[in-house]
Amino acid sequence: MEEKNVSFEENLRELEDIVNKLEGGDVSLDEMMQLFESGIAKTRECNERLKKAEQKITVLMKNAFGEMEEKPFPAE
């Protein structure tokens, strides 16, 4: 199944909906498992997008001469 291109914010909304359904307890075990698997996939997608965004961030820092310069954000 090919994943549609969904925004980070839409993934978060869908993840919140999944959590609410799971917490509500009004779903069958099979549906619960499907929701859980979908939630895991959406969580991974959100984490991947955050990781990519973090790699693009730059931080302005003063160099040894007191001038501002752009440096890459340290990725961990």
Side-chain angles (χ1 to χ4, degrees):
M1 180 168 84
E2 190 172 319
E3 187 71 22
K4 58 184 178 178
N5 191 10
V6 178
S7 71
F8 178 82
E9 292 79 8
E10 182 63 24
N11 267 333
L12 277 182
R13 279 190 291 276
E14 290 176 11
L15 190 54
E16 283 181 354
D17 289 342
I18 289 169
V19 169
N20 289 333
K21 287 178 185 176
L22 289 172
E23 287 179 341
D26 296 331
V27 294
S28 68
L29 180 59
D30 288 338
E31 187 178 358
M32 192 179 293
M33 292 303 297
Q34 289 174 345
L35 287 168
F36 182 77
E37 289 174 5
S38 179
I40 293 297
K42 292 194 179 304
T43 300
R44 287 183 179 147
E45 174 66 23
C46 286
N47 283 335
E48 187 61 33
R49 287 181 183 215
L50 286 172
K51 185 177 176 182
K52 287 178 183 178
E54 183 179 44
Q55 292 171 351
K56 293 179 181 179
I57 295 173
T58 58
V59 178
L60 287 174
M61 302 179 74
K62 288 186 179 179
N63 63 17
F65 303 107
E67 300 166 334
M68 298 299 283
E69 68 180 30
E70 253 183 49
K71 292 190 176 184
F73 187 80
E76 294 183 0

